[in-house]
Amino acid sequence: MIDTHTHIFPDKIASKVTESFRAWIGEAAALSGDFTLGDLRSYMKRCDVEAVITFCVAERPEVVIPANNFLLEIMDNRTIFSFGTILPTMKDPVGEVRRIHEKGIKGIKFHSLFQPIRARDENLFLIYEAMDKAGMIAYFHVGKDPANPSLPPGTGPQDIASVRERFPGLKIVAAHFAGLFMLEEARKWIVGKDIYVDTCWAPSIQSLGSEEVVKFIRQHGAEKVLFATDYPSTSDPIPQIKWFKELPLKEKEKQMILRENARQLLGLG
Ligand SMILES: [Zn+2]
């Protein structure tokens, strides 16, 4: 099993992040770990997860390079696949994209909740272009802020559709079934397109209901769905994994979603 959406921070700031995460999210979502590498590894062991994609998102331009250096340090591109972070307001963002690509990072996470960016922002276009050329994967948070679901999203399904149109060759993953708390819009703008979606939902995938999940997967195509939990910013992953494995999908579809699609996307054959 591969989990394509997890979060990590350097040990020295992980406890501060955990604290502020709790304050931000309150009752709207859950936390099942402490954002450290040790905890991530113990989750993998506990849940039989062979590999993860993990993110460490920079909120300010001056922390982009240190965050990427941390991600480079912890990745092995075998069990831990780090996806980088970027901000268009830093000095030479395209140079930073090239630097991390040359060192083996396969994708970048764009997070409209924690970063002052939206997928449709024109100052991201040079970054997308460089990533497209390098064959890198653009992984987006898509949908609402679970702590403030009445607010419009920074990046919504329609924004991802417009990036798809403008950069037809760019590899795109749209997290949260391409629209956290915006499944109707995701159906309208994303379903059927050449865009991967992941299965993270808040506070858990069970809260979507099995009928909804199976319907979405079949409409979009199981070959473009990636199993993911958002660990540790999610409820206990054990029942989520168990629940997913028991969905009324074909064994082959489950295998694709739980492992094969991620291997394909990461270029592991
Ligand atoms: Zn996440």
Side-chain angles (χ1 to χ4, degrees), residues 5-7 55 109 111 114 141 175-176 198 200 230-231 233:
H5 183 154
T6 67
H7 293 269
F55 315 125
K109 176 73 185 275
H111 211 311
F114 304 124
H141 170 88
H176 311 291
D198 79 24
C200 309
D230 215 351
Y231 188 85
S233 19

Side-chain angles (χ1 to χ4, degrees), residues 28-245:
L31 198 58
S32 50
D34 67 7
F35 292 103
T36 62
L37 178 61
D39 180 66
L40 182 63
R41 285 205 191 281
S42 87
Y43 153 61
M44 292 170 72
K45 207 166 172 189
R46 201 162 71 235
C47 294
D48 224 356
V49 175
E50 66 182 271
V52 294
I53 294 176
T54 198
F55 315 125
C56 177
V57 174
E59 300 178 16
R60 290 170 287 119
E62 62 273 23
V63 294
V64 170
I65 290 174
N68 283 333
N69 287 344
F70 163 69
L71 287 162
L72 284 163
E73 218 170 273
I74 60 152
M75 77 174 191
D76 58 15
N77 277 352
R78 200 174 45 80
T79 58
I80 308 265
F81 292 84
S82 294
F83 273 23
T85 186
I86 203 80
L87 280 170
T89 45
M90 74 182 288
K91 198 175 151 236
D92 192 14
V94 169
E96 180 62 1
V97 171
R98 290 202 190 108
R99 180 181 81 95
I100 62 175
H101 171 63
E102 274 160 23
K103 290 187 183 290
I105 286 187
K106 293 171 186 272
I108 293 176
K109 176 73 185 275
F110 296 88
H111 211 311
S112 58
L113 293 186
F114 304 124
Q115 298 180 293
I117 54 171
R118 299 159 305 174
R120 64 181 175 279
D121 292 346
E122 288 189 13
N123 61 1
L124 289 171
F125 289 0
L126 282 176
I127 293 168
Y128 297 154
E129 211 175 280
M131 292 176 68
D132 189 359
K133 259 191 215 145
M136 291 177 86
I137 301 150
Y139 208 124
F140 294 95
H141 170 88
V142 190
K144 300 218 168 164
D145 175 349
N148 300 286
S150 60
L151 296 180
T155 293
Q158 189 174 357
D159 301 313
I160 299 301
S162 79
V163 174
R164 167 81 300 147
E165 208 166 291
R166 196 173 179 109
F167 298 91
L170 182 65
K171 292 178 188 154
I172 297 176
V173 183
H176 311 291
F177 287 101
L180 186 60
F181 305 152
M182 303 181 75
L183 220 48
E184 268 321 302
E185 289 90 333
R187 276 209 188 85
K188 178 169 171 206
W189 293 102
I190 304 295
V191 154
K193 293 196 175 140
D194 177 23
I195 293 168
Y196 284 91
V197 304
D198 79 24
T199 64
C200 309
W201 202 259
S204 71
I205 188 172
Q206 298 94 304
S207 59
L208 257 180
S210 63
E211 211 173 296
E212 194 76 90
V213 169
V214 170
K215 194 170 102 189
F216 194 99
I217 290 170
R218 292 261 163 84
Q219 282 173 338
H220 186 52
E223 74 284 0
K224 292 174 288 182
V225 180
L226 303 165
F227 181 79
T229 60
D230 215 351
Y231 188 85
S233 19
T234 183
S235 69
D236 184 355
I238 292 175
Q240 298 201 67
I241 293 167
K242 185 169 178 284
W243 186 88
F244 187 86
K245 286 182 172 170

